Amino acid sequence: MPRNLDVPRAARKAGEVAWTRMAAANDGGVPSETTARLRALGLSSTTVYVPPEHATIKYDQTDGFGPSSVQEKVLRSLKKTCTCSKTKAKNILFTLLPILAWLPKYRIRENIVGDVVSGITVGIMRIPQGMAYALLASVPPIFGLYSSFFPGLIYAILGTSRNLPFGTMAVVSVMVGSSVERLVPERTELPAGLDNTTGFNSTEDFLQELRTQDKIAVSAALTLMAGIFQLAMGLCRLGFVTIYLSDPLVSGFTVGAAFHVVGSQVKYLLGLDLPRYSGPLSLVYTIIAAFRNITQTNVAALITSLICIIVLLVGKEVNLRYKDKLRGIPIPMELFVLIIATLISYYADLNGKYGVRIVGTIPTGLPVPRPPDVSRLLYVLPDAIVLSIVSFAVSLTLAKLFAKKYGYSIDDNQELIAYGASNLFSSFFSCFVGSTSISRTSVADAAGMKSQLMTFVSAFLLLMVLLFIGPLFRPLQQCVLASIIVVNLKSMFRLFNELKPLWKVSKVDCTVWIVTWLAVTLLGLDLGLGVGVGFSLLTIVLRTQFPSSTLLGQVSDCEIYRDCKDSQVKEISGVKIFRLNMPLCYTNCDSFKTALHKRTGLDPVGVLARRRKEERARRRMEAADSESSGCFTAERSRRRKERSGGDGGVANPGMAVDTANTEMDETLGQNGDIAKENHNGTEVKRTPDVTTVILDCGAINFLDSVGMNTLVQVYKDYTSIGVKFLLAHVNTDIRAQMWSCDYFEKVEGQRLFVSVHDAVLFATNKVNIFL
């Protein structure tokens, strides 16, 4: 007989009881497979039954559950956090300033060439992209160069990624432009105290200049607010928020933003004078306005746009096809187009003769730092929050992608601090919100970028442009910059190729992709993103509310349990094994019980109701049998008297049928199944009874109070009809919850098993080991 070892109450209250099963000292034998499975895992209970050959159990007290252990953990954490030492101070300094960790260890011979080449390559890319993305942000082109220069310097000092050239991005720029256009109203009259004496040709030009200054001010306020928000998130250790922006959601948002980018550049490509719309259906309004004014298209601007787009597309295909021969250094087609278009515009006087819009005056030198208008901070707060989250999510995704490629880690919170500090610093130079782009990061990686030293090389090249070369781009056509923007969206539109494989992998994720794309395209970037996030969370709620469950059976001749639908799996007689494939919480408790009753074919409430009904039917039948038996006896006596009366009449014996030996009595089986037996005790029909229901908790990693009460209720329901309810494979966190909420006091006799097989062995009385 197995030994019954009671765990001391003090030991249970102090913490989780962990034990190691060992071979008995007297036997010196090898532990069984069941003992080996139990060796590494401790389960809390009041009673432990073990086989006689492994009755020796060593109890080791470990940090467990209860208020005392939690209090000790909090005190240890506070003590560790508040302790000061040289090592800790050094670690904090290196965490806040990652450049101090990698710069002293920089390998010049191995990395300098790659960093210099990639820095020059990326710097050349940043010149046209910075000027072009400034159009998306609705600010003059020079501020695009500023936004390419200042943020990257701060990120190189504070960032943890070695392969991220921080700067401008098309999606973030168009979001800034959308916010700026919405927040800056049109000026229809001069401010009080001002008149048109500033040298402008007309009042309209002066009003346009004033509105441009307002746009710059709002853009700087957006950058400052986004930087403050990102910095606060990083200091509060909130880098995990990006988990709510799934990859399908980000892809759908990116493609939807690409449509808005194209819509914002239509007026430059065609040379039209169109207003920039914002809000829901802004893209639709832009397309309608473009078709209404299509007859006013500037032919010179249209031809220039077509030529630039064709040349840039051909150049990208050449770079892609001959990538290996070019050794990762692409031909700078954008810079060539920029220079050639500037020369043609200057010598052909496209602005004066054909009315083609040009960039205009570009100041030289660096801007004087000045604080943004803080009175606008609350005004731009909602837009800044969306901008900060999107820029952080996109940049962090790329940073983690390349960190995984080269085998180093990324600190999410430090990245937030780096992004926030970059935007905060650059806002004093009227820059717009920074981020990174896929194309620029890919080019930097292909060119051999090894560290953030590349950023300083690229910044030096931009500095030369700002100090000396900038004014030379004055005659550059705006349609050329628009062409560069549109061509760079090619990689974004290729994300449509994700839909087919995504549909095969997960139809829900594919739906999230499509819904987010449509919402962003039709409702705008901010509302569309909100709809996408809301829909994505709704799919999670719905999947949690309707949980996936499985009825398990045993694979022949082994201890593996799989879905009963498998042909090699057979159910165990009298035992139902149910597995819930997700957490058990208040959203899915009712669905859990419904699925459990349906899968096992055993509803305790229904069984009890049928039992009561059958009991009433049985009593009525017994009463009827008693009455029928009394009537039959009286009739029989009367006939005997007639036969013995001697009147010579012939007796009619009739044909009395004794139903006592033939009538079937329907009784109810243990689980409510009807078992038909005759009165001689011979069983005519009976379905097998379910004696045990096992819940496989291996996939349940979270349990709230409602879920705990549901387990208690299910246990009591099955116990009320004489069915055992066993829990198997319960993880440590859930066991901790069970102890903290007195679960085992509510369900006396509840048993926890290390594995499903152990529970099956106990249920079938093949081994007497349970917890």
Side-chain angles (χ1 to χ4, degrees), residues 232-253:
M233 288 177 63
L235 294 176
C236 294
R237 322 300 290 175
L238 297 178
F240 63 89
V241 295
T242 56
I243 63 176
Y244 297 105
L245 300 179
S246 63
D247 290 342
L249 186 145
V250 173
S251 296
F253 174 80

Side-chain angles (χ1 to χ4, degrees), residues 7 160 353 383 650 660 671 756:
V7 180
T160 60
K353 295 181 178 180
D383 299 85
V650 178
N671 306 138
V756 173

Side-chain angles (χ1 to χ4, degrees), residues 134-140 143 176-187 207-223 267-268 274-277 357 370 372-373 376 379-380 430-433:
L135 295 181
L136 292 177
S138 294
V139 294
F143 292 94
V176 172
S178 177
S179 299
V180 167
E181 292 291 339
R182 187 179 70 257
L183 298 175
V184 178
E186 290 283 349
R187 284 185 176 267
L207 291 175
Q208 188 65 31
E209 178 63 21
L210 291 177
R211 189 166 188 262
T212 300
Q213 296 301 321
D214 291 342
K215 291 180 179 180
I216 296 171
V218 170
S219 174
L222 272 171
T223 306
K267 65 178 182 178
Y268 300 112
L274 300 178
R276 184 163 178 174
Y277 299 95
R357 294 183 179 180
R370 56 181 180 180
D373 186 2
R376 301 176 184 263
Y379 187 53
V380 302
S430 301
C431 300
F432 51 85
V433 179

Side-chain angles (χ1 to χ4, degrees), residues 300-526:
L302 178 60
I303 294 174
T304 303
S305 301
L306 292 175
I307 293 174
C308 291
I309 290 175
I310 293 172
V311 172
L312 290 171
L313 288 174
V314 171
K316 284 189 174 293
E317 290 299 324
V318 170
N319 286 331
L320 184 62
R321 181 169 298 184
Y322 298 100
K323 180 179 180 180
D324 295 334
K325 294 183 179 180
L326 295 172
R327 298 182 180 179
I329 303 176
I331 301 172
M333 294 301 298
E334 295 174 348
L335 184 62
F336 289 161
V337 168
L338 207 69
I339 295 173
I340 295 173
T342 301
L343 293 174
I344 293 176
S345 177
Y346 177 75
Y347 288 105
D349 192 15
L350 296 181
N351 177 250
K353 295 181 178 180
Y354 302 101
V356 178
R357 294 183 179 180
I358 60 175
V359 170
T361 304
I362 297 179
T364 57
L366 296 177
V368 177
R370 56 181 180 180
D373 186 2
V374 294
S375 63
R376 301 176 184 263
L377 292 184
L378 294 178
Y379 187 53
V380 302
L381 179 60
D383 299 85
I385 292 176
V386 177
L387 273 168
S388 59
I389 293 176
V390 171
S391 62
F392 170 55
V394 174
S395 299
L396 186 64
T397 301
L398 285 175
K400 287 186 174 181
L401 179 65
F402 284 94
K404 182 179 179 180
K405 179 179 179 180
Y406 292 103
Y408 62 92
S409 60
I410 293 293
D411 186 344
D412 295 4
N413 297 307
Q414 181 60 29
E415 285 292 293
L416 263 175
I417 293 174
Y419 301 151
S422 299
N423 287 320
L424 189 64
F425 175 79
S426 60
S427 67
F428 287 83
F429 298 92
S430 301
C431 300
F432 51 85
V433 179
S435 185
T436 189
S437 67
I438 300 174
S439 60
R440 190 168 60 248
T441 306
S442 301
V443 168
D445 178 62
M449 180 181 180
K450 302 297 182 182
S451 69
Q452 285 296 331
L453 188 64
M454 183 279 309
T455 301
F456 296 103
V457 176
S458 175
F460 178 78
L461 187 60
L462 283 171
L463 181 62
M464 294 299 101
V465 173
L466 290 171
L467 294 178
F468 307 108
I469 306 176
L472 298 178
F473 291 107
R474 180 185 180 279
L476 177 64
Q477 308 98 304
Q478 291 183 356
C479 61
V480 175
L481 296 177
S483 302
I484 294 173
I485 292 173
V486 172
V487 172
N488 282 327
L489 297 176
K490 181 180 178 181
S491 60
M492 296 184 184
F493 287 116
R494 281 180 175 174
L495 293 176
F496 276 113
N497 296 331
E498 294 182 354
L499 287 177
K500 186 175 180 180
L502 188 61
W503 179 263
K504 295 180 180 179
V505 174
S506 174
K507 294 178 174 58
V508 174
D509 287 344
C510 186
T511 305
V512 170
W513 197 106
I514 295 174
V515 168
T516 305
W517 164 59
L518 291 176
V520 171
T521 303
L522 298 177
L523 301 180
L525 299 174
D526 46 0

Side-chain angles (χ1 to χ4, degrees), residues 91-327:
N91 292 335
I92 292 175
L93 182 62
F94 280 14
T95 300
L96 294 177
L97 298 173
I99 191 173
L100 299 179
W102 62 264
L103 189 58
K105 301 177 182 179
Y106 186 79
R107 299 178 181 179
I108 298 178
R109 292 185 178 180
E110 298 178 6
N111 300 334
I112 191 64
V113 175
D115 284 336
V116 171
V117 173
S118 60
I120 295 174
T121 304
V122 172
I124 292 173
M125 286 185 64
R126 277 178 163 169
I127 296 171
Q129 285 187 358
M131 299 175 68
Y133 292 163
L135 295 181
L136 292 177
S138 294
V139 294
I142 188 62
F143 292 94
L145 295 179
Y146 295 157
S147 301
S148 299
F149 177 76
F150 290 106
L153 295 176
I154 304 302
Y155 180 82
I157 299 173
L158 301 177
T160 60
S161 175
R162 306 172 192 169
N163 305 86
L164 203 66
F166 197 77
T168 58
M169 181 191 180
V171 173
V172 175
S173 299
V174 76
M175 292 181 69
V176 172
S178 177
S179 299
V180 167
E181 292 291 339
R182 187 179 70 257
L183 298 175
V184 178
E186 290 283 349
R187 284 185 176 267
T188 57
E189 58 183 14
L190 293 174
L194 291 179
D195 54 20
N196 189 18
T197 60
T198 55
F200 288 88
N201 295 328
S202 63
T203 302
E204 287 75 12
D205 293 341
F206 183 60
L207 291 175
Q208 188 65 31
E209 178 63 21
L210 291 177
R211 189 166 188 262
T212 300
Q213 296 301 321
D214 291 342
K215 291 180 179 180
I216 296 171
V218 170
S219 174
L222 272 171
T223 306
L224 176 63
M225 195 68 243
I228 293 174
F229 187 76
Q230 289 176 331
L231 197 59
M233 288 177 63
L235 294 176
C236 294
R237 322 300 290 175
L238 297 178
F240 63 89
V241 295
T242 56
I243 63 176
Y244 297 105
L245 300 179
S246 63
D247 290 342
L249 186 145
V250 173
S251 296
F253 174 80
T254 302
V255 176
F259 277 88
H260 282 275
V261 172
V262 174
S264 67
Q265 299 307 298
V266 168
K267 65 178 182 178
Y268 300 112
L269 294 172
L270 302 179
L272 297 175
D273 187 11
L274 300 178
R276 184 163 178 174
Y277 299 95
S278 60
L281 301 179
S282 59
L283 184 60
V284 177
Y285 295 146
T286 300
I287 295 174
I288 294 174
F291 277 102
R292 285 179 178 175
N293 297 274
I294 196 69
T295 55
Q296 301 176 12
T297 300
N298 188 304
V299 179
L302 178 60
I303 294 174
T304 303
S305 301
L306 292 175
I307 293 174
C308 291
I309 290 175
I310 293 172
V311 172
L312 290 171
L313 288 174
V314 171
K316 284 189 174 293
E317 290 299 324
V318 170
N319 286 331
L320 184 62
R321 181 169 298 184
Y322 298 100
K323 180 179 180 180
D324 295 334
K325 294 183 179 180
L326 295 172
R327 298 182 180 179

